[in-house]
């Protein structure tokens, strides 16, 4: 191994990553044909898709596909420049006005992706000497935005509001404070305690930002998000969500008060210095909002499927990490065991992902399943049986 010392560091790091990949196999890219289909072909094998975020099944919806095609015919393939230059094609205004009526919000803006939104919002709202309070299970883009902001990064234990309050108390009266949380946590499938967060943000004069990536389209009467489901939307300062999960497309939105959106559109570097979205993406977003607003029936079907799956797995004896949603993880523990579990599931015809540290804490590796409205009841039942079969084989359940 002596020679390795002389390798440039990139090569060395790559060798290490390759080694990790060999034992995990999960970071390899495999081609997925028609990912919107609940039954997939991966490497030629037919599998039930329990790994996609296409919760409402919109990624394959003909109405959305047609809206994209129309947008291309009318406005072209690409936006050609940033929105502040000449990239602000008319579909932006149409989609943003649709967004505002859907969310019943004063102002809003569409940006290029959820990742871009979080990195840009947080680094625009906080700076050196400010404080960002972030749930330990928040999405990586929130972490990256906070690091980029150079603010003091305070991570509180998952949903531990006493821990958060002790931090707020210690720093009160100093500079600006921003509390950020996912509304529906992507790895545990549980919810933030928004009511209590609102109380704390009011008491300590902080801004509250809620990331609705996994709840958009899925919770709320019109799929507006979890804060709407709780009727707390007016208490949240910054609503962020994406078109990339339940809404089946791509891109992200931010809504809030006009002063906030005005400020952000003049300060967010990911908005100012990046090319505007292609017209087709906006066409899809607008059509998806129109569908989501009306689609209570499909939402109910999704929630019924998810509840059914959670109940079955609990009955079989699995531990679900507190899931209350369409994101249903089962706790396994060690990395090796979790990887083996996912492999056996694949063998049985189920595509689900093994989630390991650093995405989750050490020794809390898990298998994460996601349910969609496109699944049939018999798919859910079949899957639960197969998961139990593997669970028994591996000694995860009795
Ligand atoms: C997926 C996700 C994002 C990133 O959204 P993209 O549109 O995929 O870039 C941000 N936040 C959370 C909580 C997410 O789950």
């Amino acid at each position: 191994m002596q020679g390795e010392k002389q390798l440039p560091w990139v090569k060395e790091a790559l060798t290490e990553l390759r080694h990790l990949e060999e034992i995990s196999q999960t970071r390899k890219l495999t081609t997925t044909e028609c990912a919107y289909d609940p039954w997939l072909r991966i490497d030629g094998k037919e599998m039930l898709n329990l790994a996609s975020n296409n919760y409402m099944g919109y990624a394959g919806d003909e109405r959305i596909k047609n809206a994209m095609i129309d947008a291309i015919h009318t406005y072209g393939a690409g936006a050609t420049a940033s929105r502040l230059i000449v990239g602000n094609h008319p579909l932006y205004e149409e989609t943003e006005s649709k967004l505002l009526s859907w969310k019943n919000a004063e102002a809003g803006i569409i940006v290029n992706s959820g990742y871009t939104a979080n990195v840009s919002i947080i680094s625009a709202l906080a700076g050196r000497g400010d404080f960002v309070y972030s749930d330990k299970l928040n999405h990586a883009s929130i972490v990256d935005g906070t690091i980029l902001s150079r603010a003091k990064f305070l991570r509180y234990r998952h949903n531990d509001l006493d821990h958060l309050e002790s931090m707020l108390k210690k720093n009160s009266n100093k500079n600006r404070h921003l509390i950020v949380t996912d509304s529906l946590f992507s790895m545990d499938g549980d919810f933030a305690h928004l009511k209590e967060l609102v109380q704390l943000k009011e008491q300590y004069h902080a801004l509250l930002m809620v990331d609705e990536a996994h709840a958009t389209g899925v919770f709320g009467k019109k799929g507006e998000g979890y804060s709407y489901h709780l009727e707390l939307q007016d208490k949240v300062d910054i609503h962020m969500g994406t078109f990339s999960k339940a809404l089946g497309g791509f891109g992200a939105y931010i809504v809030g008060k006009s002063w906030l959106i005005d400020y952000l559109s003049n300060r967010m570097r990911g908005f100012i210095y990046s090319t505007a979205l292609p017209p087709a993406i906006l066409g899809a977003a607008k059509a998806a909002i129109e569908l989501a607003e009306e689609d209570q029936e499909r939402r109910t079907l999704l929630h019924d499927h998810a509840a059914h799956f959670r109940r079955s797995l609990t009955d079989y004896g699995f531990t679900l990490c507190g899931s209350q949603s369409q994101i249903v993880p089962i706790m396994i523990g060690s990395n090796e065991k979790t990887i083996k579990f996912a492999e056996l599931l694949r063998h049985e015809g189920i595509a689900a992902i093994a989630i390991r540290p650093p995405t989750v804490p050490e020794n809390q590796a898990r298998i994460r399943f996601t349910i969609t409205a496109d699944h049939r009841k018999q798919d859910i039942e079949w899957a639960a049986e197969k998961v139990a079969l593997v669970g028994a084989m591996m000694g995860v359940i009795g």
Side-chain angles (χ1 to χ4, degrees):
M1 291 283 133
Q2 260 204 335
E4 273 189 18
K5 283 237 157 55
Q6 272 107 58
L7 287 176
W9 70 266
V10 177
K11 277 199 190 166
E12 249 176 68
L14 192 59
T15 310
E16 197 168 311
L17 279 176
R18 288 233 168 91
H19 173 67
L20 285 176
E21 211 169 75
E22 259 166 45
I23 41 179
S24 77
Q25 299 199 329
T26 52
R27 303 254 180 216
K28 263 200 303 196
L29 289 176
T30 47
T31 303
T32 315
E33 290 166 42
C34 298
Y36 58 81
D37 200 315
W39 284 89
L40 290 174
R41 286 189 88 75
I42 300 179
D43 292 340
K45 189 175 160 58
E46 177 104 325
M47 292 209 250
L48 184 66
N49 186 356
L50 293 179
S52 103
N53 300 321
N54 184 26
Y55 304 127
M56 291 289 277
Y58 290 164
D61 194 284
E62 290 304 321
R63 293 163 292 187
I64 297 182
K65 287 199 240 174
N66 287 330
M68 296 181 84
I69 294 164
D70 290 346
I72 292 172
H73 285 314
T74 314
Y75 299 110
T80 77
S82 126
R83 286 184 72 183
L84 295 173
I85 313 297
V86 291
N88 196 33
H89 49 86
L91 267 178
Y92 265 111
E93 199 179 313
E94 284 177 39
T95 310
E96 280 169 350
S97 108
K98 185 83 239 171
L99 170 72
L100 295 191
S101 68
W102 176 45
K103 302 281 265 186
N104 193 25
E106 201 174 288
I109 188 167
I110 290 173
V111 294
N112 286 5
S113 72
Y115 187 92
T116 301
N118 282 340
V119 165
S120 308
I121 297 167
I122 299 171
S123 60
L125 285 176
R128 239 184 264 284
D130 298 330
F131 298 83
V132 177
Y133 306 83
S134 174
D135 190 291
K136 275 217 165 129
L137 294 190
N138 277 347
H139 191 260
S141 52
I142 293 174
V143 173
D144 293 359
T146 309
I147 293 170
L148 186 64
S149 78
R150 301 177 179 87
K152 195 154 164 58
F153 189 10
L154 297 165
R155 300 177 79 195
Y156 54 94
R157 287 184 292 271
H158 179 47
N159 275 340
D160 185 340
L161 300 172
D162 291 335
H163 192 205
L164 169 60
E165 183 163 19
S166 71
M167 292 171 164
L168 285 163
K169 216 177 240 158
K170 215 166 106 195
N171 301 305
S172 62
N173 303 325
K174 281 190 233 155
N175 294 357
R176 309 175 192 162
H177 303 265
L178 174 67
I179 302 171
V180 193
T181 187
D182 288 12
S183 62
L184 169 53
F185 288 93
S186 53
M187 294 302 141
D188 287 44
D190 62 343
F191 295 109
H193 300 177
L194 287 185
K195 197 162 154 241
E196 290 78 4
L197 285 170
V198 163
Q199 278 162 3
L200 285 176
K201 84 114 197 168
E202 285 176 349
Q203 189 179 342
Y204 292 93
H205 309 290
L207 287 174
L208 176 62
M209 165 171 168
V210 175
D211 176 340
E212 298 265 25
H214 287 279
T216 302
V218 179
F219 290 91
K221 275 198 193 72
K222 297 191 284 177
E224 315 96 305
Y226 183 63
S227 55
Y228 287 73
H229 170 76
L230 296 182
E231 297 180 3
L232 288 172
Q233 64 273 24
D234 296 333
K235 305 281 186 184
V236 171
D237 299 295
I238 305 126
H239 293 264
M240 171 271 173
T242 69
F243 298 108
S244 54
K245 289 180 170 128
L247 297 186
F250 190 74
Y253 64 80
I254 306 159
V255 304
K257 293 273 185 271
S258 303
W259 51 262
L260 178 90
I261 300 300
D262 281 349
Y263 175 82
L264 288 177
S265 41
N266 284 289
R267 275 284 179 272
M268 290 192 300
R269 296 170 68 85
F271 170 74
I272 301 167
Y273 298 109
S274 194
T275 299
L277 288 166
I281 301 300
L282 274 299
K286 181 162 165 271
I289 295 173
E290 282 161 4
L291 292 184
E293 294 192 295
E294 304 286 332
D295 231 352
Q296 193 51 38
E297 210 173 299
R298 230 175 146 60
R299 257 188 296 283
T300 306
L301 182 68
L302 170 60
H303 293 309
D304 288 350
H305 280 347
H308 190 49
F309 191 60
R310 292 195 304 267
R311 212 175 314 113
S312 305
L313 293 183
T314 311
D315 288 348
Y316 280 122
F318 288 103
T319 307
L320 297 193
C321 315
S323 162
Q324 299 165 288
S325 67
Q326 77 280 9
I327 298 169
V328 187
I330 52 172
M331 187 62 84
I332 309 292
S334 81
N335 291 359
E336 293 70 29
K337 206 168 175 184
T338 309
I339 289 156
K340 182 80 192 155
F341 203 111
E343 224 173 81
L344 291 174
L345 284 176
R346 268 199 298 280
H347 190 74
E348 294 295 330
I350 290 178
I353 38 171
I355 311 268
R356 291 158 297 140
T359 310
V360 292
E362 281 304 325
N363 285 314
Q364 293 189 22
R366 61 197 67 177
I367 305 284
R368 176 179 178 272
F369 302 101
T370 48
I371 304 298
T372 74
D374 272 354
H375 288 120
R376 298 162 307 171
K377 193 161 180 222
Q378 60 262 41
D379 296 331
I380 305 289
E381 282 165 0
W382 176 85
E385 265 173 44
K386 292 291 183 194
V387 175
L389 184 80
V390 172
M393 239 173 359
M394 297 226 25
V396 175
I397 54 171

